[in-house]
Amino acid sequence: QVALVESGGGSVQAGGSLRLSCSISGDVASTNCMAWFRQSPGKKRVGVAAITSRGGATYYRDSVKGRFTIYQEITNRAVRTVYLEMNNLNPEDSATYYCAHNRRWCLYNGAWDVTGEYGYWGQGTQVTVSP
């Protein structure tokens, strides 16, 4: 079992920045890939960024490249926290952001942003960007 707790959401104006955090507990040794997804009302949940636990390879959706950075904190050889640094935010970034845990490598089935590949999810944190 893995528990994920997100924090760091909030309201900012366009051009502002936020940093989201995802704290991981439980079977942390099972972590091979962590990701951030987001979902807006009436839209499907989409991948924002992912990071492999060993090696730290990162993946981003096109619309956030150059603005968002995913990184992780490793303690005692296990990922304990994953962050999403978000800069130059725009209203289209407004959504509920979820962190997600994958026991397999991010590209195990060729794509890192498939929701079904992630077995554990956080409760979500709201990000609102005003014009």
Side-chain angles (χ1 to χ4, degrees):
Q1 290 279 359
V2 173
L4 306 175
V5 178
E6 302 106 333
S7 61
S11 298
V12 296
Q13 290 189 320
S17 300
L18 285 172
R19 188 182 75 163
L20 306 183
S21 301
C22 175
S23 176
I24 307 163
S25 61
D27 186 13
V28 295
S30 69
T31 307
N32 279 297
C33 173
M34 292 294 299
W36 287 94
F37 286 74
R38 68 187 183 189
Q39 188 170 21
S40 302
K43 296 186 178 180
K44 70 175 185 177
R45 192 170 298 188
V46 297
V48 176
I51 184 168
T52 59
S53 300
R54 294 169 181 80
T58 56
Y59 310 92
Y60 297 92
R61 72 180 294 107
D62 287 345
S63 63
V64 307
K65 287 179 180 177
R67 301 188 297 122
F68 290 12
T69 303
I70 186 171
Y71 58 100
Q72 59 194 0
E73 179 181 303
I74 297 175
T75 305
N76 294 330
R77 294 183 292 178
V79 178
R80 307 289 177 169
T81 309
V82 176
Y83 301 93
L84 185 68
E85 183 78 36
M86 305 185 294
N87 297 312
N88 195 20
L89 286 160
N90 59 62
E92 290 69 39
D93 296 316
S94 296
T96 300
Y97 284 70
Y98 300 89
C99 69
H101 172 282
N102 192 342
R103 292 177 175 273
R104 300 190 289 197
W105 302 112
C106 294
L107 297 182
Y108 184 84
N109 281 322
W112 61 268
D113 58 349
V114 178
T115 55
E117 292 294 319
Y118 295 82
Y120 295 97
W121 295 80
Q123 81 286 355
T125 186
Q126 180 67 39
V127 171
T128 303
V129 185
S130 57

